[in-house]
mmCIF file of all heavy atoms in Angstrom:
data_model
loop_
_atom_site.group_PDB
_atom_site.id
_atom_site.type_symbol
_atom_site.label_atom_id
_atom_site.label_comp_id
_atom_site.label_asym_id
_atom_site.label_seq_id
_atom_site.Cartn_x
_atom_site.Cartn_y
_atom_site.Cartn_z
ATOM 1 N N MET A 1 -39.831 -0.901 -15.004
ATOM 2 C CA MET A 1 -39.025 -0.623 -16.204
ATOM 3 C C MET A 1 -37.904 0.384 -15.896
ATOM 4 O O MET A 1 -36.744 0.143 -16.189
ATOM 5 C CB MET A 1 -39.959 -0.069 -17.295
ATOM 6 C CG MET A 1 -39.282 0.113 -18.642
ATOM 7 S SD MET A 1 -38.675 -1.458 -19.283
ATOM 8 C CE MET A 1 -37.586 -0.916 -20.559
ATOM 9 N N LEU A 2 -38.282 1.486 -15.244
ATOM 10 C CA LEU A 2 -37.275 2.485 -14.886
ATOM 11 C C LEU A 2 -36.244 1.920 -13.930
ATOM 12 O O LEU A 2 -35.054 2.161 -14.045
ATOM 13 C CB LEU A 2 -37.950 3.703 -14.265
ATOM 14 C CG LEU A 2 -38.317 4.817 -15.245
ATOM 15 C CD1 LEU A 2 -38.994 5.947 -14.532
ATOM 16 C CD2 LEU A 2 -37.060 5.297 -15.975
ATOM 17 N N ASP A 3 -36.770 1.085 -12.978
ATOM 18 C CA ASP A 3 -35.853 0.439 -12.040
ATOM 19 C C ASP A 3 -34.835 -0.389 -12.768
ATOM 20 O O ASP A 3 -33.635 -0.405 -12.458
ATOM 21 C CB ASP A 3 -36.654 -0.473 -11.105
ATOM 22 C CG ASP A 3 -37.199 0.303 -9.948
ATOM 23 O OD1 ASP A 3 -36.939 1.521 -9.904
ATOM 24 O OD2 ASP A 3 -37.874 -0.294 -9.080
ATOM 25 N N PHE A 4 -35.356 -1.123 -13.763
ATOM 26 C CA PHE A 4 -34.481 -2.021 -14.516
ATOM 27 C C PHE A 4 -33.391 -1.196 -15.230
ATOM 28 O O PHE A 4 -32.202 -1.504 -15.149
ATOM 29 C CB PHE A 4 -35.322 -2.801 -15.531
ATOM 30 C CG PHE A 4 -34.496 -3.627 -16.468
ATOM 31 C CD1 PHE A 4 -33.855 -4.767 -16.023
ATOM 32 C CD2 PHE A 4 -34.344 -3.241 -17.787
ATOM 33 C CE1 PHE A 4 -33.088 -5.519 -16.891
ATOM 34 C CE2 PHE A 4 -33.564 -3.974 -18.667
ATOM 35 C CZ PHE A 4 -32.940 -5.128 -18.212
ATOM 36 N N LEU A 5 -33.839 -0.140 -15.907
ATOM 37 C CA LEU A 5 -32.890 0.716 -16.618
ATOM 38 C C LEU A 5 -31.876 1.303 -15.669
ATOM 39 O O LEU A 5 -30.681 1.367 -15.950
ATOM 40 C CB LEU A 5 -33.626 1.845 -17.355
ATOM 41 C CG LEU A 5 -34.328 1.431 -18.647
ATOM 42 C CD1 LEU A 5 -35.011 2.630 -19.282
ATOM 43 C CD2 LEU A 5 -33.320 0.815 -19.624
ATOM 44 N N ALA A 6 -32.369 1.715 -14.497
ATOM 45 C CA ALA A 6 -31.469 2.318 -13.504
ATOM 46 C C ALA A 6 -30.391 1.321 -13.082
ATOM 47 O O ALA A 6 -29.221 1.685 -12.983
ATOM 48 C CB ALA A 6 -32.268 2.803 -12.308
ATOM 49 N N SER A 7 -30.790 0.069 -12.861
ATOM 50 C CA SER A 7 -29.777 -0.876 -12.409
ATOM 51 C C SER A 7 -28.805 -1.238 -13.531
ATOM 52 O O SER A 7 -27.607 -1.407 -13.285
ATOM 53 C CB SER A 7 -30.397 -2.112 -11.775
ATOM 54 O OG SER A 7 -31.307 -2.677 -12.654
ATOM 55 N N VAL A 8 -29.324 -1.318 -14.765
ATOM 56 C CA VAL A 8 -28.392 -1.538 -15.894
ATOM 57 C C VAL A 8 -27.402 -0.387 -15.967
ATOM 58 O O VAL A 8 -26.185 -0.598 -16.105
ATOM 59 C CB VAL A 8 -29.178 -1.673 -17.216
ATOM 60 C CG1 VAL A 8 -28.204 -1.621 -18.401
ATOM 61 C CG2 VAL A 8 -29.970 -2.953 -17.249
ATOM 62 N N GLY A 9 -27.930 0.822 -15.842
ATOM 63 C CA GLY A 9 -27.070 2.000 -15.889
ATOM 64 C C GLY A 9 -26.021 1.970 -14.796
ATOM 65 O O GLY A 9 -24.844 2.264 -15.024
ATOM 66 N N ARG A 10 -26.468 1.578 -13.585
ATOM 67 C CA ARG A 10 -25.535 1.516 -12.460
ATOM 68 C C ARG A 10 -24.395 0.539 -12.727
ATOM 69 O O ARG A 10 -23.243 0.825 -12.499
ATOM 70 C CB ARG A 10 -26.284 1.140 -11.172
ATOM 71 C CG ARG A 10 -26.064 2.140 -10.079
ATOM 72 C CD ARG A 10 -26.542 1.701 -8.721
ATOM 73 N NE ARG A 10 -27.748 0.873 -8.717
ATOM 74 C CZ ARG A 10 -28.969 1.339 -8.679
ATOM 75 N NH1 ARG A 10 -29.198 2.635 -8.669
ATOM 76 N NH2 ARG A 10 -30.004 0.519 -8.655
ATOM 77 N N ILE A 11 -24.782 -0.637 -13.248
ATOM 78 C CA ILE A 11 -23.765 -1.647 -13.537
ATOM 79 C C ILE A 11 -22.791 -1.136 -14.600
ATOM 80 O O ILE A 11 -21.586 -1.282 -14.484
ATOM 81 C CB ILE A 11 -24.427 -2.963 -13.992
ATOM 82 C CG1 ILE A 11 -25.163 -3.603 -12.808
ATOM 83 C CG2 ILE A 11 -23.389 -3.945 -14.528
ATOM 84 C CD1 ILE A 11 -26.012 -4.779 -13.162
ATOM 85 N N PHE A 12 -23.344 -0.482 -15.626
ATOM 86 C CA PHE A 12 -22.520 0.031 -16.702
ATOM 87 C C PHE A 12 -21.556 1.099 -16.182
ATOM 88 O O PHE A 12 -20.376 1.087 -16.493
ATOM 89 C CB PHE A 12 -23.429 0.594 -17.818
ATOM 90 C CG PHE A 12 -22.657 1.037 -19.031
ATOM 91 C CD1 PHE A 12 -21.954 0.090 -19.788
ATOM 92 C CD2 PHE A 12 -22.609 2.363 -19.397
ATOM 93 C CE1 PHE A 12 -21.244 0.483 -20.911
ATOM 94 C CE2 PHE A 12 -21.906 2.765 -20.508
ATOM 95 C CZ PHE A 12 -21.213 1.831 -21.283
ATOM 96 N N ILE A 13 -22.086 2.009 -15.347
ATOM 97 C CA ILE A 13 -21.233 3.067 -14.792
ATOM 98 C C ILE A 13 -20.171 2.445 -13.896
ATOM 99 O O ILE A 13 -19.014 2.842 -13.931
ATOM 100 C CB ILE A 13 -22.070 4.092 -14.021
ATOM 101 C CG1 ILE A 13 -22.894 4.915 -15.028
ATOM 102 C CG2 ILE A 13 -21.190 5.018 -13.190
ATOM 103 C CD1 ILE A 13 -23.891 5.844 -14.417
ATOM 104 N N GLY A 14 -20.569 1.431 -13.136
ATOM 105 C CA GLY A 14 -19.601 0.732 -12.292
ATOM 106 C C GLY A 14 -18.505 0.139 -13.113
ATOM 107 O O GLY A 14 -17.309 0.201 -12.759
#
Side-chain angles (χ1 to χ4, degrees):
Chain A
M1 187 61 196
L2 268 179
D3 275 0
F4 173 73
L5 283 180
S7 53
V8 169
R10 235 191 325 272
I11 291 172
F12 185 64
I13 289 172

